[in-house]
Amino acid sequence: MAENHYDAGDITILEGLDAVRLRPGMYIGSTGTKGLHHILWEIVDNAVDEAANGYASRIDVRIYKDGSVSVEDDGRGIPTDIHPKTKVSGVQVVFTQLHAGGKFDEHNYSFSGGLHGVGASVTNALSKWLKVRVCKDGSAWEMQFRSYYDEQKQKVESGVPVEPLKKTGSCGQKHGTLVHFLPDDTVFSSVQFQLSTVSHRLKELAFLNKGLTITLTDERITANEFSDDEEDEGARQLDLIGATQPYSVTFCYRGGIADFVSYLNEGKNRLYAQPLYYKGERDGIHVEFAIQHTGEFTENLFSFVNNIPTPEGGFHEMGFRGGITRMLNDYARDNKLIKEKDANFLGEDFREGLTAVLSVKMKNVQFEGQTKTKLGNPEARSPVESCVVEGLRALAADAKNKKIFEEIIKKAQGAARVRIAARQAKDTARAKNSIDSLTLVGKLAACSGRKAELNELFIVEGDSAGGTAKQARIRQFQSILPLRGKPLNVEKKRLDQVLANEEIRTIISALGAGVGNDFNLDKLNYHKVIILSDADQDGFHIRCILLTFFFRYMRPLVNAGHVYIGMPPLYKVYKQNGSAEEYAYDDKELAEKIEKVGRGYLVQRYKGLGEMSAEQLWKTTMDPMRRNLTQVTIEDAAAAEDMITTLMGDRVEGRKEFLNRNANFNKADPFMDKVKLKKEASDEA
Ligand code: 1YM
């Protein structure tokens, strides 16, 4: 090593790498696992840049048993000619000069930034050895660098060329760059590359760079060893062959970030089949986005600047959100989907259930924030916003997207309704709490126990049944909330009016956990919320209304399995002399019970809960040891929502048809259709 001679220029170069050695954290963030992967990303980034510039179409990453890793692309190959200023080869400049500041051509490499793009020299500085092989113009070129301890200088010399770049053979038609290196274990606390980390990032890069094929091979493990990851399609294929080849996976997405969105929405209820996709440019800022709405309520925006994730957001996200809000409000107005006197939608209305990927490419990026993953360039905002508006307008102008935009506006209308309703409910609840909280609580026969896990709230149809239930209950853990008659004829009312409904407000305050976005499961007063309604049309309707309400405004309550439906019997089979008394919950059971009671049986058909005595109600419907409870779980939020819109929404035709079809309330519970009803385990309580 020491034989190598360097001119003055080279010495400053080596001092540059010394600086990296001295303070690795300044260049790669940390010397932990994150930093370790960072030196791999430096090399990968150069290959991706080459692909982004249109010269490379595939990248192969390989992790070896000795802990080293290689990256290969089929691009032009790093320049091999002598750099005029430093008098050394382009390859040597790239791997020994910090920042490779003047990557030969400023124009090609302008979209790098942040910690990324500090250059391949950092990787070299922090590796035990690094080998480069370039295929260019028919020739193969090779160069090696290494780090070693210099006894004389009593310090580590890092990234030192073993010899200058030299021609080692011919390459034929082949062209590209291969970089292979071993991270220095005296620098990093761990030198184990994480397959899942590498795989995740390469997949992301494949999404972000449409059409680029990236393969990842891990020689440390065989195909069938890596199966705990969802991204192991490759592994599974190899598994079929029963091979012991290394694990390998290939990522390539023709649709780019549109495929990314499809992937993120896999298994979700999508409002429209294909994501909306657009790519444009304004003031030197390249903007690409893909969006798709789902039936969910949260927003999922994944943004990137120069292929770097920006989970902390920043000005590009502001522009993106602003653009969506502006364009969609304009669209809704132009198409008379907002009434003249009505206010605009809020941005959040359009973002309910939105899955989006935003990819921005620009020069001189400034990263800020806790983790330096927030775009701090204010000048990015307006061009991004313009591109988004322009892109969405172009998409909306396409006749085949008309339905999609209508769906989006419809979804926003729903979101706005909920938002307004939740606000009103909160305001009313606040007002009510101060003025006549007594009347609210008055209806509720609260239990005395304070343990929410044990407590049950029976929401009972009708004052009369409510009265019976109050007599029947065990006051320690059972609360009764009677609902008057048919209180909530919401069919023709908007949801905000449902929330203004006094019964609903009573339920909200009884449960004690808030409503809508503020709903907090931790504050729940009852772990069993049991709907007890008559087995007739009205009862079914009330149950629908309550479930709609829970689905929409207290979804976590349903998801956590706190909602139940109480099942009163439909028949009593008995003997006049009192020697037999049986209950039947459906017609099939009725036949069985008649047989059991035998000659002289009498049948009473219960038309409502009110016909039962307290004792009967207790033993058939309320006693945890004997009752029939069915737990309401959302088998499929989409299906449930759909059912509720059919029943409650504007689609009157659908509702009528649905009710007719399910008019037999005894046997085939209409909810069996779409909502899974699980029999409560009989050993509960
Ligand atoms: C496995 C890593 O580094 N590929 C790569 C890098 C470069 C080029 C091609 C390249 C760039 C240019 C011209 C140019 C780089 N070159 C430089 C520098 N893969 C990998 N492929 N010809 C080839 O920018 O004009 C830095 S990276 F600075 F030498 F040009």
Side-chain angles (χ1 to χ4, degrees):
M1 282 314 100
E3 302 83 10
N4 279 331
H5 294 286
Y6 299 101
D7 61 25
D10 291 334
I11 287 165
T12 49
I13 287 164
L14 288 177
E15 275 171 0
L17 294 194
D18 271 0
V20 178
R21 264 283 160 161
L22 223 53
R23 291 199 187 77
M26 286 222 353
Y27 298 87
I28 56 164
S30 79
T31 51
T33 309
K34 247 190 125 182
L36 173 77
H37 288 83
H38 197 108
I39 66 169
L40 169 58
W41 307 142
E42 286 301 339
I43 306 301
V44 169
D45 282 354
N46 283 347
V48 170
D49 280 346
E50 187 66 359
N53 288 325
Y55 297 107
S57 67
R58 51 176 308 128
I59 298 173
D60 300 311
V61 177
R62 185 175 283 262
I63 308 172
Y64 300 84
K65 282 206 164 87
D66 65 359
S68 63
V69 61
S70 70
V71 183
E72 181 170 19
D73 67 46
D74 62 352
R76 291 165 294 175
I78 300 177
T80 51
D81 48 339
I82 300 297
H83 189 244
K85 219 156 78 192
T86 53
K87 311 254 184 326
V88 296
S89 66
V91 171
Q92 186 164 336
V93 172
V94 167
F95 287 92
T96 56
Q97 187 155 302
L98 253 194
H99 275 265
K103 290 188 168 178
F104 281 12
D105 182 353
E106 279 275 335
H107 299 289
N108 286 348
Y109 281 92
S110 45
F111 296 134
S112 311
L115 278 178
H116 288 259
V118 294
S121 59
V122 169
T123 305
N124 186 27
L126 302 176
S127 294
K128 271 243 135 69
W129 51 258
L130 183 146
K131 302 174 191 175
V132 192
R133 188 183 147 93
V134 172
C135 278
K136 209 175 168 72
D137 307 323
S139 302
W141 299 78
E142 284 180 23
M143 183 165 189
Q144 261 193 65
F145 305 85
R146 51 167 286 183
S147 300
Y148 60 95
Y149 186 74
D150 188 315
E151 295 284 352
Q152 263 176 351
K153 294 187 192 159
Q154 300 227 322
K155 65 187 269 292
V156 175
E157 292 287 339
S158 56
V160 182
V162 173
E163 16 170 48
L165 180 72
K166 70 164 189 258
K167 213 182 255 192
T168 55
S170 57
C171 272
Q173 294 287 71
K174 201 184 147 181
H175 50 90
T177 306
L178 170 68
V179 176
H180 187 182
F181 64 95
L182 179 71
D184 194 329
D185 59 2
T186 64
V187 172
F188 296 100
S189 54
S190 161
V191 285
Q192 292 279 322
F193 284 103
Q194 235 50 75
L195 176 54
S196 52
T197 306
V198 177
S199 170
H200 179 266
R201 174 63 179 156
L202 294 180
K203 181 169 187 159
E204 190 172 87
L205 282 168
F207 278 129
L208 289 166
N209 295 275
K210 206 188 293 192
L212 172 62
T213 303
I214 305 182
T215 56
L216 167 62
T217 306
D218 191 341
E219 295 193 346
R220 298 170 303 179
I221 53 176
T222 52
N224 30 17
E225 280 175 303
F226 186 60
S227 56
D228 56 13
D229 196 291
E230 44 162 318
E231 289 162 4
D232 66 347
E233 275 155 50
R236 246 181 266 119
Q237 277 164 19
L238 288 173
D239 218 18
L240 290 177
I241 315 165
T244 47
Q245 291 110 311
Y247 167 82
S248 184
V249 63
T250 300
F251 306 114
C252 179
Y253 304 100
R254 301 272 152 231
I257 58 170
D259 286 352
F260 200 166
V261 167
S262 296
Y263 167 74
L264 292 166
N265 280 346
E266 240 164 53
K268 291 186 187 166
N269 165 33
R270 307 157 202 218
L271 252 54
Y272 37 98
Q274 296 303 324
L276 295 170
Y277 170 83
Y278 180 78
K279 185 175 180 170
E281 187 262 340
R282 171 80 54 117
D283 303 335
I285 295 181
H286 296 252
V287 180
E288 202 181 349
F289 66 87
I291 64 170
Q292 188 180 41
H293 286 80
T294 70
E296 313 216 328
F297 296 93
T298 48
E299 176 198 8
N300 264 322
L301 169 59
F302 294 87
S303 66
F304 298 84
V305 177
N306 298 345
N307 288 337
I308 301 161
T310 43
E312 290 182 287
F315 287 100
H316 59 321
E317 284 198 0
M318 288 184 213
F320 177 72
R321 293 199 172 97
I324 289 193
T325 309
R326 178 146 69 88
M327 185 281 170
L328 289 177
N329 265 319
D330 289 353
Y331 179 88
R333 287 239 177 250
D334 292 349
N335 291 278
K336 307 268 179 293
L337 299 166
I338 305 179
K339 289 200 199 90
E340 222 155 278
K341 61 175 173 51
D342 282 358
N344 269 352
F345 290 107
L346 295 188
E348 64 187 63
D349 300 335
F350 294 122
R351 297 196 299 270
E352 191 182 277
L354 174 70
T355 302
V357 172
L358 168 69
S359 174
V360 169
K361 295 203 171 128
M362 60 183 287
K363 291 181 189 179
N364 307 320
V365 294
Q366 217 64 55
F367 287 106
E368 295 175 345
Q370 290 273 297
T371 55
K372 294 264 174 278
T373 56
K374 178 179 180 180
L375 182 66
N377 301 59
E379 73 274 17
R381 183 179 180 157
S382 157
V384 172
E385 181 167 333
S386 303
C387 280
V388 170
V389 169
E390 187 180 285
L392 289 176
R393 283 208 182 122
L395 287 160
D398 189 336
K400 73 174 192 294
N401 290 332
K402 190 170 162 33
K403 273 238 152 56
I404 297 182
F405 279 83
E406 282 169 5
E407 282 294 323
I408 293 174
I409 302 296
K410 211 158 87 196
K411 169 112 184 162
Q413 281 165 337
R417 258 203 297 269
V418 172
R419 170 172 58 76
I420 292 162
R423 160 83 42 78
Q424 281 174 355
K426 224 184 341 186
D427 291 350
T428 338
R430 211 179 277 134
K432 283 277 166 192
N433 275 341
S434 51
I435 304 163
D436 57 2
S437 56
L438 282 178
T439 57
L440 281 182
V441 181
K443 277 187 240 165
L444 174 75
C447 60
S448 55
R450 288 282 157 258
K451 286 208 171 101
E453 317 82 85
L454 303 179
N455 288 349
E456 303 179 341
L457 175 68
F458 284 87
I459 302 174
V460 186
E461 175 186 353
D463 270 343
S464 134
T468 314
K470 279 180 196 174
Q471 285 172 23
R473 69 170 176 152
I474 293 183
R475 96 171 14 249
Q476 275 76 15
F477 69 97
Q478 294 181 317
S479 296
I480 310 296
L481 178 63
L483 295 182
R484 287 220 176 82
K486 196 176 168 189
L488 310 162
N489 184 11
V490 293
E491 279 167 87
K492 292 176 194 72
K493 286 185 179 159
R494 294 203 321 272
L495 281 160
D496 50 319
Q497 291 167 297
V498 178
L499 276 179
N501 177 283
E502 196 164 325
E503 318 285 340
I504 290 286
R505 277 208 321 279
T506 311
I507 294 171
I508 297 170
S509 76
L511 292 183
V515 66
N517 286 339
D518 300 327
F519 185 80
N520 179 358
L521 210 50
D522 296 337
K523 292 194 177 153
L524 189 63
N525 289 332
Y526 302 94
H527 279 207
K528 281 203 173 71
V529 178
I530 302 163
I531 300 170
L532 212 52
S533 59
D534 291 340
D536 58 12
Q537 240 214 31
D538 277 357
F540 169 64
H541 197 179
I542 285 172
R543 187 203 291 178
C544 280
I545 289 160
L546 290 172
L547 284 182
T548 306
F549 169 70
F550 291 139
F551 280 133
R552 294 245 162 124
Y553 301 98
M554 297 186 176
R555 185 158 294 198
L557 184 76
V558 183
N559 282 337
H562 293 306
V563 181
Y564 296 83
I565 289 168
M567 297 296 219
L570 289 173
Y571 305 101
K572 181 166 93 166
V573 185
Y574 64 105
K575 280 199 172 142
Q576 190 75 61
N577 62 10
S579 64
E581 189 182 287
E582 296 286 335
Y583 296 90
Y585 292 85
D586 59 39
D587 287 357
K588 183 165 165 277
E589 211 178 0
L590 175 64
E592 289 164 14
K593 292 294 159 77
I594 286 175
E595 195 157 320
K596 184 170 173 195
V597 171
R599 286 169 63 87
Y601 72 89
L602 292 167
V603 174
Q604 182 189 354
R605 189 191 194 292
Y606 291 116
K607 287 183 207 74
L609 293 161
E611 290 176 22
M612 269 185 241
S613 70
E615 194 206 341
Q616 286 169 347
L617 188 62
W618 166 253
K619 64 184 179 192
T620 60
T621 316
M622 291 174 70
D623 177 3
M625 304 303 284
R626 285 179 282 184
R627 70 191 174 192
N628 252 331
L629 276 196
T630 43
Q631 188 179 39
V632 178
T633 61
I634 300 172
E635 188 175 70
D636 177 340
E641 266 210 317
D642 185 48
M643 169 192 70
I644 282 155
T645 6
T646 313
L647 285 170
M648 306 295 166
D650 319 319
R651 285 145 59 189
V652 182
E653 292 316 304
R655 177 173 64 247
K656 274 193 190 140
E657 194 256 339
F658 187 91
L659 282 171
N660 285 339
R661 197 155 35 87
N662 297 285
N664 182 353
F665 297 100
N666 313 343
K667 276 195 287 190
D669 191 296
F671 280 88
M672 287 295 189
D673 239 20
K674 300 213 167 140
V675 181
K676 199 161 69 190
L677 295 173
K678 261 197 288 178
K679 274 258 188 282
E680 186 188 45
S682 55
D683 58 359
E684 56 98 24

